[in-house]
């Protein structure tokens, strides 16, 4: 068999053909085999790496290390993603550093990162901040929009910012009014980010689940004082009813003859703009000796900078100088000592006394979606909810503070609104809350890091109810008591 090579019909030798096409002889051989109907098998892609392939044992080593970190679900994103989350204190740099400390002959950082993204569906939880999604969206859109679209975008953004500024000024005015008018009190409230126990400067805590400690802050306008309400996750959750219970405890303790109470919070739709919180406040209003009205007001979403943020910041600055914290009492002592003047009042919430359920109140009411004029009401667009003692179980919802209101009657058909006051609230967690089996095991593992005088604090682990569930990142626990579709921050 002989071969003949031509270029545009001109006979050439093999060498001339190869140099003209700048190819090797193997390319010619393969092409001719395909043309000659000879049995030909394509071997491309069948080679299993080469001499520099990472041993499979090293890949398994990396996978096992990544798997050793606790993974959490997120209540806020469980409907949008199947991803699980690592703790917000972690990142790939920290994880790789911990890997190198634990194993000899470590793989490169690029290979560690490759395994992380190829073999796992994990995310790092970014710490929640008061940034505005609407402003971010307008900023991005302004780069591409032109003409009338650009004008509409700019006008909408300006109205959004103006509304945020108006609400902030209104809140500051209310705080000042409380200082000069004894019949008016203004409170702002918020939950601090979750604190953990035990807090130790040891790498092992990255691999273990810790006990959550919650702090609900109230800032009092008349005295400019911050009040912290503290409890642990096995005593109560951090949902709407816990928020309402903390507010109820302080409101019922107000001794001076306040007639009008103004409450300000962020726009966390599920927790704050909630029928459960409204019912708790309405029941508190009906049983308070002097209060006549309670107004629940909300800042603009993404622009909710409250005085509580400054209160929490002072505490967290002091916390940086305390590397080891083993008990709730130590956290409370840090809260008391973080200021020299105008010290914080710190209350230890008791699950057997302070946390109340609104279940009986819900049975007495109907969460109607239309006002007395049969017009639809929107909780998400509401910026003020007014409750009056003279009109039990009727709320006035306002999209604009001090603007027109929609009157909504919540009383259930066949019930007497005047009997709402006499309903006795039951305890929210009479038997406490369960912890996950994994968390209990991890806490027991960390006991050798705890000082001997603090170990009795953890004796509750011997009798705590354990259940099998995945811990959530936000600290709500196994269940959540408000509707996630209302969450907008």
């Amino acid at each position: 068999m002989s071969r003949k090579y031509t270029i545009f019909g001109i006979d050439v030798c093999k060498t001339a053909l190869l140099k003209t096409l700048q190819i090797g002889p193997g390319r010619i051989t393969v092409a001719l085999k395909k043309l000659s109907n000879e049995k030909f098998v394509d071997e491309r892609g069948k080679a299993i790496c080469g001499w520099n392939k990472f041993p499979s044992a090293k890949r398994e080593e990396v996978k096992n290390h990544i798997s050793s970190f606790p993974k959490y679900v997120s209540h806020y994103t469980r409907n949008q993603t199947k991803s699980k989350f690592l703790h917000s204190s972690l990142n790939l740099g920290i994880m790789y550093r911990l890997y190198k400390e634990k194993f000899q002959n470590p793989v490169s950082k690029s290979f560690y990162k490759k395994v992380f993204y190829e073999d796992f569906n994990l995310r790092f939880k970014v710490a929640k901040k008061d940034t505005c999604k609407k402003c971010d969206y307008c900023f991005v859109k302004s780069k591409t929009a032109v003409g009338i679209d650009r004008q509409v975008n700019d006008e909408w953004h300006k109205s959004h910012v103006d509304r945020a500024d108006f609400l902030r000024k209104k809140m500051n005015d209310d705080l000042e009014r409380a200082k000069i008018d004894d019949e008016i009190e203004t409170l702002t409230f918020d939950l601090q980010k979750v604190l953990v126990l035990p807090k130790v400067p040891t790498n092992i805590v990255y691999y273990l689940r810790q006990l959550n400690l919650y702090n609900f802050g109230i800032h009092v306008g008349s005295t400019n004082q911050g009040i912290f309400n503290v409890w642990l996750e096995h005593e109560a959750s951090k949902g709407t009813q816990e928020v309402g219970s903390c507010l109820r405890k302080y409101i019922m303790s107000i001794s001076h003859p306040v007639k009008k109470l103004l409450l300000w919070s962020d726009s966390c739709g599920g927790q704050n703009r909630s029928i459960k919180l409204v019912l708790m406040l309405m029941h508190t209003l009906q049983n308070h000796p002097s209060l006549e009205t309670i107004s629940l007001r909300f800042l603009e979403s993404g622009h909710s900078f409250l005085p509580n943020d400054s209160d929490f910041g002072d505490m967290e600055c002091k916390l940086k100088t305390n590397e080891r914290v083993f008990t709730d009492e130590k956290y409370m002592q840090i809260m008391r000592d973080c200021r020299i003047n105008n010290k914080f009042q710190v209350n230890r919430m008791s699950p057997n006394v302070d946390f109340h359920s609104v279940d009986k109140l819900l049975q007495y009411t109907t969460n109607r979606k239309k006002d007395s004029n049969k017009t639809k009401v929107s909780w998400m667009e509401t910026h003020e909810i007014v409750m009056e003692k003279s009109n039990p179980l009727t709320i006035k919802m306002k999209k604009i503070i001090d603007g027109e209101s929609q009157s909504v009657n919540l009383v259930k058909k066949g019930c007497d609104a005047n009997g709402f006051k006499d309903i006795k609230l039951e305890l929210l967690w009479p038997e406490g809350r369960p912890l996950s089996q994994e968390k209990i095991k991890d806490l027991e593992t960390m006991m050798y890091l705890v000082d001997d005088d603090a170990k009795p604090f953890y004796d509750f682990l011997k009798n705590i109810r354990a259940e099998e569930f995945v811990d959530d990142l936000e600290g709500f626990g196994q269940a959540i008591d408000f509707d996630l579709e209302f969450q907008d921050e």
Side-chain angles (χ1 to χ4, degrees), residues 69-72 84-91 94-95 123-127 194-196 205-206 208-210 212 472-473:
F69 293 95
K71 299 165 188 65
Y72 305 87
K84 290 188 177 181
F85 294 82
L86 298 170
H87 198 271
S88 58
S89 60
L90 283 174
N91 56 48
I94 294 176
M95 293 173 67
R123 298 184 182 183
F124 297 103
K125 176 69 173 180
V126 179
V194 176
L195 304 171
V196 295
V205 299
Y206 289 116
L208 302 172
R209 298 162 183 82
Q210 295 162 280
N212 293 333
D472 68 279
L473 199 60

Side-chain angles (χ1 to χ4, degrees), residues 168-365:
R168 173 169 302 284
K169 183 178 183 303
K170 190 69 177 176
M171 179 188 70
N172 292 331
D173 290 343
D174 288 347
L175 289 169
E176 292 300 318
R177 288 173 63 192
K179 295 177 182 178
I180 59 177
D181 192 338
D182 292 338
E183 294 186 350
I184 295 177
E185 182 60 274
T186 303
L187 307 177
T188 68
F189 61 91
D190 197 8
L191 275 159
Q192 188 178 12
K193 70 177 183 180
V194 176
L195 304 171
V196 295
L197 287 169
K199 177 181 178 291
V200 290
T202 308
N203 286 342
I204 192 175
V205 299
Y206 289 116
Y207 302 98
L208 302 172
R209 298 162 183 82
Q210 295 162 280
L211 185 69
N212 293 333
L213 180 141
Y214 306 131
N215 177 27
F216 179 78
I218 299 174
H219 190 90
V220 184
S222 60
T223 61
N224 201 32
Q225 184 183 37
I227 299 173
F228 291 160
N229 301 275
V230 177
W231 68 95
L232 298 168
E233 68 170 305
H234 67 281
E235 298 170 338
S237 182
K238 51 175 287 191
T240 301
Q241 295 175 92
E242 286 85 357
V243 168
S245 296
C246 291
L247 288 171
R248 177 186 178 88
K249 180 176 181 177
Y250 178 77
I251 293 170
M252 295 304 293
S253 71
I254 298 176
S255 57
H256 57 285
V258 175
K259 293 184 178 181
K260 185 175 183 179
L261 179 63
L262 304 172
L263 301 176
W264 281 90
S265 74
D266 60 29
S267 297
C268 180
Q271 256 175 319
N272 298 334
R273 276 192 289 215
S274 164
I275 185 63
K276 292 184 178 181
L277 180 59
V278 168
L279 291 178
M280 182 73 78
L281 292 173
M282 292 178 74
H283 190 268
T284 303
L285 172 63
Q286 293 299 319
N287 287 276
H288 194 276
S290 65
L291 275 179
E292 296 178 359
T293 64
I294 294 179
S295 293
L296 182 58
R297 296 177 170 180
F298 310 101
L299 292 170
E300 183 70 6
S301 174
H303 298 264
S304 51
F305 301 102
L306 296 159
N308 307 85
D309 297 325
S310 178
D311 295 343
F312 296 148
D314 289 344
M315 180 268 174
E316 289 166 10
C317 285
K318 182 68 174 180
L319 185 60
K320 292 179 181 178
T321 63
N322 291 264
E323 290 188 336
R324 290 175 172 80
V325 181
F326 301 121
T327 66
D328 56 344
E329 183 54 45
K330 179 61 176 178
Y331 269 121
M332 293 169 66
Q333 191 60 49
I334 294 171
M335 294 173 184
R336 296 187 188 100
D337 296 341
C338 66
R339 281 183 176 177
I340 297 176
N341 300 315
N342 197 21
K343 291 179 175 291
F344 295 118
Q345 175 185 328
V346 184
N347 302 321
R348 182 62 167 85
M349 299 293 287
S350 171
N352 297 323
V353 178
D354 297 321
F355 293 113
H356 300 284
S357 168
V358 298
D359 285 349
K360 286 190 174 182
L361 305 183
L362 289 170
Q363 296 172 9
Y364 207 83
T365 58

Side-chain angles (χ1 to χ4, degrees), residues 436-447:
S436 69
Q437 296 175 353
E438 291 81 4
K439 177 166 286 193
I440 294 175
K441 181 179 178 181
D442 288 351
L443 288 170
E444 291 173 344
T445 301
M446 284 187 283
M447 284 304 98

Side-chain angles (χ1 to χ4, degrees), residues 61 114 123 133 138 160 172 281 309 344 385 398 430 432 466 475 489:
E61 178 182 274
K114 175 182 173 69
R123 298 184 182 183
K133 294 181 293 185
C138 289
H160 167 67
N172 292 331
L281 292 173
D309 297 325
F344 295 118
I385 301 175
K398 302 179 182 181
E489 285 227 320

